[in-house]
Every structure is written in structure tokens, then in C-alpha cells.
Amino acid sequence: MVTAIDVYHCPDKKLVFVQQRSPLIKGHVDQFVSDLSGWIRQSQFERVLLLSSANAAFRIDSELAGSQLGYACNPLCQHKSGMESILQEAGFIPLRTDEASWVNKHSFSSQLLDQMNQISIPAAAAVSMCYEGDNVPHAFGLARAVSQLLGLAEEAEWKAPPAWTHIQGEPLPRHLRTSGMY
């Protein structure tokens, strides 16, 4: 269960965006995946692209350089939809699928990909690898890549929503900033 979800529909492009703005409640992931999958099936989606982030600390040496955008696909995505080649063309790299990887089989992303496969819908997760902290640049990078992937806008100017103004907390009081302490 979540407490904040926005749904955006663009009929011209045949796109639906679902933005989940709060974490899932522990112990309710299975029910949420089931409910979301039911809605996706009932709405007759042709395919699903999930945008997510993953902890960059789980990278191995060979993954440190190069693109920090990765993807994971369900079998239908890999073999039938052409989504995998589109992701690769947009600069996404395949994520490791071993147990120690960033999108493990117990994560929301993996569960949704599995559920989409069970209901015969090609699905992929496009993932930005990042560390804890200010990840606004990572969000913009993922948005630019997905925008390119979907053919939405060549040079969109991305703006952070007002809620991100103090994403790392309130700014330091002026007297502390000017005192030389920080």
C-alpha cells in the first residue's frame, strides 16, 4: 500500500504514467503488486516500463565505469516486444540478475516484472544506479533517457518539483553559512 500515487494519461502518445511518491508499507508489497497488476490487465496495457533507482554500492568493479542506467526485463520483453533493444539503444545496460544484484527477486520491481509475465504483458524496469544523497541529477538523467526512449522530446528542460527544494533538509541558517563553520 502507498499513500501517494499520481496517474497521468497522454492519449495522443498512448501513454499512462503512474508516479508513486511514497514508499510501500512493509508487508504490503505482494498485495500492492497484485492490485496494480490487476489494474494494468483490466486497463489493457500493451507493455509496462517501470522507472526506479538502485543502490550503486552493489555495483561490481566492471560496472563502475560507463552508463549508470540499467534495465531488467521479463521474458516477454526480451523476446517479443522489442523493448530490450530500444533500452540498449537509449544507453541502458543489462543489470546482473544474480541474488546479490540491485533488483533482487524480492524487490517491488522484480515482483512486478514477474507478475506482468504471468499475465502476458512485456515489462522492463529502467533503473538509475545512485548513492544516498541528493539524487536530483540522477532523476534528470533517467528522465532524459526515458524521454528519448519514448520519443517524447528532443531537448526538454527538466525542472525539479517544488517538493524537492529542500530534499536534503532545510538549508543552514544564514549566520552559520557566513560564520565560516560550514
Side-chain angles (χ1 to χ4, degrees), residues 72-149:
C73 289
N74 71 6
L76 292 169
C77 169
Q78 293 171 330
H79 304 297
K80 293 185 179 181
S81 72
M83 286 174 68
E84 184 170 33
S85 61
I86 293 169
L87 284 159
Q88 289 173 349
E89 289 170 16
F92 289 82
I93 58 171
L95 293 174
R96 282 180 291 119
T97 56
D98 57 43
E99 190 62 34
S101 71
W102 17 55
V103 183
N104 69 45
K105 66 181 180 179
H106 303 294
S107 70
F108 165 72
S109 300
S110 290
Q111 287 185 38
L112 186 63
L113 292 180
D114 289 345
Q115 188 66 32
M116 292 297 94
N117 196 57
Q118 290 178 20
I119 61 174
S120 300
I121 296 177
V127 179
S128 176
M129 279 75 82
C130 48
Y131 291 104
E132 288 189 31
D134 181 2
N135 292 311
V136 172
H138 294 110
F140 287 160
L142 183 60
R144 277 190 299 275
V146 170
S147 179
Q148 174 193 347
L149 181 132

Side-chain angles (χ1 to χ4, degrees), residues 7-173:
V7 178
Y8 304 94
H9 181 227
C10 180
D12 296 346
K13 298 271 187 186
K14 295 184 177 180
L15 293 171
V16 174
F17 294 91
V18 179
Q19 180 186 20
Q20 176 186 321
R21 297 184 297 119
S22 64
L24 294 167
I25 297 172
K26 190 174 183 171
H28 294 273
V29 175
D30 293 344
Q31 185 62 50
F32 181 71
V33 168
S34 176
D35 292 346
L36 181 59
S37 299
W39 177 71
I40 289 169
R41 181 180 51 241
Q42 181 182 14
S43 300
Q44 299 179 347
F45 286 26
E46 290 180 26
R47 58 186 172 221
V48 171
L49 178 62
L50 170 68
L51 308 184
S52 188
S53 63
N55 189 341
F58 287 103
R59 294 176 298 174
I60 58 176
D61 289 350
S62 63
E63 298 165 333
L64 295 176
S67 178
Q68 297 305 296
L69 299 174
Y71 73 89
C73 289
N74 71 6
L76 292 169
C77 169
Q78 293 171 330
H79 304 297
K80 293 185 179 181
S81 72
M83 286 174 68
E84 184 170 33
S85 61
I86 293 169
L87 284 159
Q88 289 173 349
E89 289 170 16
F92 289 82
I93 58 171
L95 293 174
R96 282 180 291 119
T97 56
D98 57 43
E99 190 62 34
S101 71
W102 17 55
V103 183
N104 69 45
K105 66 181 180 179
H106 303 294
S107 70
F108 165 72
S109 300
S110 290
Q111 287 185 38
L112 186 63
L113 292 180
D114 289 345
Q115 188 66 32
M116 292 297 94
N117 196 57
Q118 290 178 20
I119 61 174
S120 300
I121 296 177
V127 179
S128 176
M129 279 75 82
C130 48
Y131 291 104
E132 288 189 31
D134 181 2
N135 292 311
V136 172
H138 294 110
F140 287 160
L142 183 60
R144 277 190 299 275
V146 170
S147 179
Q148 174 193 347
L149 181 132
L150 297 175
L152 297 178
E154 292 282 329
E155 293 294 323
E157 182 180 336
W158 297 97
K159 296 179 183 177
W164 291 5
T165 302
H166 302 298
I167 203 163
Q168 294 297 307
E170 292 291 324
L172 290 171

